[in-house]
Amino acid sequence: MTAGAFPVAVQRAASLLHLPQLLAEFGAPLASVLDGTGISTEDIRPDAFVPYSAFLSVLDNASRLTGRGDFGLLLGKRQTLAALGPLGEVLRHAGTLGEAIGDFAAFQSRNSTGGAVYLMRADRDVILGYAVYDHSAQVSPHIYDLVLAVGCNLIAELTGGAVTPEVILLSRSAPREPAPYHRLARCPV
């Protein structure tokens, strides 16, 4: 896929596997959420890749149609290592959490070419972050929420809940309702 001189950024569609069920819980039709995005119901499968900008549109549409500003969090909280495809298996077999997080940051580009997980170490702190770099995408705050919830879930899954974030810094405007963010990681946001 290319758009002009740049390849079209893509996202693994496995992150959308729980979308139909979550939408049904809010009475929002999947067809309406997918309308105009170029993504079909057949594209929502673990081995598929969809255009990154379309993935962001799906998140925005879902939030709008459900009336949930925390839709990205809700969808992200349903994710497990399985959503990462082969990378999830690599993380599951890492020797330490640090090795797993390093592998996640290093190889996440196999799952998305529109945004990047990054890792920074500063003294005793480890900073795990996410940035959108797809120049053609209308950045959605819901992608940051989705990634935030996925990151919290992955760390909990890898450590059996023994490790949690100390603080979460959002890469988006402050949410109108902060309670879901506080419940997600039980730390300052």
Side-chain angles (χ1 to χ4, degrees):
M1 296 181 165
T2 61
F6 298 99
V8 171
V10 295
Q11 171 70 41
R12 181 180 288 280
S15 303
L16 297 175
L17 290 176
H18 299 283
L19 180 68
Q21 180 184 356
L22 183 56
L23 290 171
E25 291 172 18
F26 293 106
L30 177 61
S32 296
V33 169
L34 299 179
D35 188 41
T37 66
I39 296 176
S40 70
T41 55
E42 293 80 25
D43 293 326
I44 301 176
R45 59 181 205 276
D47 62 333
F49 285 83
V50 297
Y52 188 77
S53 60
F55 184 89
L56 298 180
S57 293
V58 166
L59 295 177
D60 285 341
N61 290 348
S63 176
R64 182 176 43 77
L65 291 171
T66 61
R68 297 298 304 239
D70 62 343
F71 193 85
L73 284 181
L74 296 172
L75 185 59
K77 285 169 48 175
R78 295 175 181 227
Q79 308 298 317
T80 66
L81 288 170
L84 300 176
L87 178 56
E89 283 304 307
V90 170
L91 301 185
R92 192 180 312 279
H93 291 93
T96 66
L97 177 60
E99 182 181 312
I101 292 173
D103 289 345
F104 181 50
F107 297 107
Q108 180 271 340
S109 64
R110 305 298 191 268
N111 288 321
S112 177
T113 60
V117 171
Y118 60 88
L119 179 66
M120 297 175 3
R121 290 184 170 94
D123 297 323
R124 68 172 204 85
D125 296 322
V126 175
I127 301 162
L128 184 62
Y130 183 79
V132 174
Y133 60 86
D134 178 6
H135 70 285
S136 68
Q138 175 69 27
V139 179
S140 167
H142 306 293
I143 188 64
Y144 293 114
D145 293 350
L146 176 87
V147 172
L148 171 62
V150 168
C152 289
N153 277 3
L154 297 183
I155 290 170
E157 187 175 348
L158 289 168
T159 66
V163 175
T164 59
E166 286 184 7
V167 66
I168 291 175
L169 303 174
L170 297 176
S171 298
R172 57 165 291 182
S173 301
R176 281 185 245 164
E177 178 53 51
Y181 296 84
H182 292 288
R183 283 193 301 270
L184 174 68
R186 294 170 176 60
C187 68
V189 178

